[in-house]
Amino acid sequence: MSPTSTVRLGIQVQPQHAQYTAIRDTVLRLEELGADVVFNWDHFFPLSGDRDGEHFEAWTMLGAWAEQTERIEFGTLVNCNSYRNADLQADMARTLDHISAKGGEGRFIFGTGSGWFERDYDEYGYEFGTVGGRLNALADALPRIEARWAKLNPAPTRKIPVMIGGKGEQKTLRIVAQHADIWHSFVAPDELGRKLDVLKRWGDEVGRDVSEITVSNELHRGTADLEQADALYDAGVRLFTLGISGPDYDLTAVREYLAWRDAKNGLARVA
């Protein structure tokens, strides 16, 4: 990844413990504030707080986001490959790309991963299997998704960026090297250098220059932790993500991190 690339901020509006009106209004506010990307997640139940609390499905929500927004990119952080046929995923992604294009280029980011939340699998009737089996399924699905994008009429409006989440060195980073435009790394700053070395070795093996892959990672919630953000930046991260949860979706840390982003990019924010 180029060390001079632009810093971007993505906000994960977690679709839990809130009415949809609050989610919709938060997405609009984030676009107004200048966030670069808005994400949800691909689960069927809350991951924190009341595990039987209010919750909404990801992909249908993304269609609404595609229509209601004008500038901001959007996607799942991340899609669970196990829940939908690979060719269907490709067609859904292409459709979101077109909905969001509005006469220009689409804004959808195809974030994906192998899946991990066992309750989703059990209650919705998917086979949970093993970690290795789910990663193998992801590795099989991505070429099908890419092939389907090439066949669809109309085609996507742009090369849909692929974000892959995960840090496993034997399978996940190989998949990242082969297919990802963005790697969501899930690792601490002091661990990132070694993981990037592993990613480069996989890139060499599969014939990919992995320096073109944007590195993504998570920021601390609540009060902005700018020391952590600086450490991640120094380690090579350029897409920073911050999760916010319902019911109120506090944007205090969002504003702080936006100011930090703009300082890194040499910009002055207007209040």
Side-chain angles (χ1 to χ4, degrees):
M1 188 215 63
S2 169
T4 61
S5 57
T6 302
V7 174
R8 304 177 76 223
L9 181 66
I11 309 302
Q12 184 187 55
V13 181
Q14 298 166 355
Q16 61 176 9
H17 308 308
Q19 291 291 303
Y20 185 71
T21 52
I23 296 171
R24 179 197 63 209
D25 293 348
T26 298
V27 169
L28 288 172
R29 184 63 180 138
L30 289 169
E31 183 168 56
E32 291 170 357
L33 287 172
D36 298 292
V37 191
V38 63
F39 296 107
N40 58 18
W41 65 31
D42 190 21
H43 296 292
F44 306 131
F45 301 94
L47 299 185
S48 63
D50 179 1
R51 297 307 172 97
D52 293 313
E54 294 173 312
H55 197 277
F56 291 97
E57 192 275 332
W59 280 80
T60 46
M61 183 183 298
L62 293 177
W65 291 6
E67 190 62 59
Q68 77 176 58
T69 58
E70 300 294 332
R71 173 197 58 80
I72 200 166
E73 290 190 292
F74 65 99
T76 50
L77 183 61
V78 289
N79 169 65
C80 177
N81 177 67
S82 306
Y83 301 160
R84 302 162 193 89
N85 169 280
D87 293 86
L88 174 61
Q89 293 178 55
D91 206 342
M92 293 165 70
R94 182 282 309 257
T95 300
L96 289 169
D97 169 77
H98 275 266
I99 293 170
S100 65
K102 302 182 179 180
E105 281 195 343
R107 295 174 283 117
F108 178 65
I109 295 173
F110 181 63
T112 194
S114 60
W116 63 272
F117 190 38
E118 190 169 2
R119 183 184 180 187
D120 283 350
Y121 287 80
D122 291 345
E123 296 217 26
Y124 278 62
Y126 299 107
E127 181 181 352
F128 189 57
T130 65
V131 172
R134 295 193 300 276
L135 283 167
N136 290 341
L138 178 63
D140 291 341
L142 282 162
R144 286 177 56 190
I145 290 166
E146 292 163 353
R148 180 59 56 185
W149 281 337
K151 296 175 184 177
L152 289 169
N153 183 15
T157 66
R158 64 171 182 170
K159 182 190 180 302
I160 296 174
V162 174
M163 167 192 270
I164 297 175
K167 59 182 181 179
E169 297 182 6
Q170 298 305 311
K171 291 187 176 183
T172 302
L173 291 183
R174 180 186 178 97
I175 298 169
V176 170
Q178 290 176 303
H179 299 284
D181 301 290
I182 305 166
W183 170 44
H184 193 69
S185 52
F186 294 107
V187 295
D190 59 359
E191 187 184 0
L192 192 54
R194 187 176 65 81
K195 295 290 185 180
L196 288 171
D197 288 341
V198 173
L199 180 61
K200 184 180 184 306
R201 290 199 295 272
W202 280 122
D204 292 341
E205 182 164 321
V206 304
R208 174 91 184 277
D209 178 5
V210 298
S211 68
E212 65 190 22
I213 298 173
T214 298
V215 180
S216 171
N217 210 324
E218 296 177 331
L219 294 165
H220 289 161
R221 303 172 193 175
T223 302
D225 184 345
L226 300 186
E227 288 187 6
Q228 182 227 15
D230 283 335
L232 288 170
Y233 177 88
D234 291 342
V237 175
R238 291 299 181 270
L239 174 59
F240 295 81
T241 67
L242 175 68
I244 56 175
S245 182
D248 298 324
Y249 296 109
D250 183 1
L251 302 184
T252 302
V254 173
R255 293 182 175 89
E256 293 179 87
Y257 281 125
L258 283 169
W260 174 87
R261 177 204 66 183
D262 289 349
K264 289 295 185 189
N265 290 334
L267 303 174
R269 284 190 59 77
V270 177

